[in-house]
Amino acid sequence: PAYASGDALHGHLFGGSSKVGGARGMMILQAPLAPQPADRFVPAAKLDSLQAVRAIAAIMVVLFHLHVYTIPVVMDTPGALWAGFGMGYAGVEIFFVLSGFIMLLVHRHQFGQPRFARAFMSRRIERIYPLLWIVLIALITLRYLAGQGWPTMGETIRAFTLWPTAGEPILEPSWSLTFEMLFYAVFALCIVNLRLGQIVAGAWFTS
């Protein structure tokens, strides 16, 4: 059967940086790979159904934004879509659960092995922050040119670091990236020390 390594599987399902995604991530190998330390094989073909779940979740999010913003606000036609599309925000939760499942499946053998934590976080930082910064710079510039002024220093720092904020961030959809980075940090802590990571995760999820 076709197999993919942990990194290749994660890239295949979620895309990623050149170290994870790209040619490696999108290719399902036709023969078993050579053994790699702490990176067990996962039968990629058996997880194809997750791609369908991912597609459904993406469609749900798109319909939600059409329902609550694009059609009623931009097109000024309230009530133009089915009210059930208001539940489309649940697609984000599906993405979170799916991402967590894949990460656990791929990296569960690295728990309690600190030498893997740095590579784990580096890949995710490289995947998220550079594109986020480009979008933020463009957005802040456009808002200034439109006469909305500059954001405060605090707002800017929180936006560029994805630091949690009680209000709306400069780039509103980035709130989900904030939670994602928090989850990555807790997951990396589990790689460093599983018991400590479990304690922190339990405190976060029950707070």
Side-chain angles (χ1 to χ4, degrees), residues 88-105:
Y89 64 84
V92 177
E93 280 84 351
I94 294 175
F95 273 118
F96 284 156
V97 172
L98 186 59
S99 179
F101 170 75
I102 295 297
M103 286 170 54
L104 182 63
L105 187 68

Side-chain angles (χ1 to χ4, degrees), residues 83-159:
F85 291 149
M87 293 291 294
Y89 64 84
V92 177
E93 280 84 351
I94 294 175
F95 273 118
F96 284 156
V97 172
L98 186 59
S99 179
F101 170 75
I102 295 297
M103 286 170 54
L104 182 63
L105 187 68
V106 172
H107 297 284
R108 66 190 188 280
H109 303 292
Q110 298 178 356
F111 286 160
Q113 303 184 61
R115 66 184 184 278
F116 295 108
R118 181 176 179 179
F120 173 84
M121 282 303 298
S122 295
R123 289 167 182 158
R124 277 127 193 104
I125 290 172
E126 292 170 3
R127 181 181 302 163
I128 290 176
Y129 278 99
L131 181 58
L132 171 69
W133 292 341
I134 292 172
V135 173
L136 280 171
I137 291 172
L139 179 61
I140 291 172
T141 302
L142 288 173
R143 286 185 175 180
Y144 175 78
L145 294 176
Q148 299 182 24
W150 298 107
T152 66
M153 181 61 69
E155 291 173 335
T156 303
I157 292 174
R158 287 191 293 270

Side-chain angles (χ1 to χ4, degrees), residues 173-192:
S174 68
W175 69 266
S176 61
L177 292 178
T178 296
F179 281 96
E180 194 163 345
M181 288 305 301
L182 285 172
F183 178 74
Y184 289 159
V186 173
F187 199 94
L189 185 58
C190 289
I191 294 177
V192 174

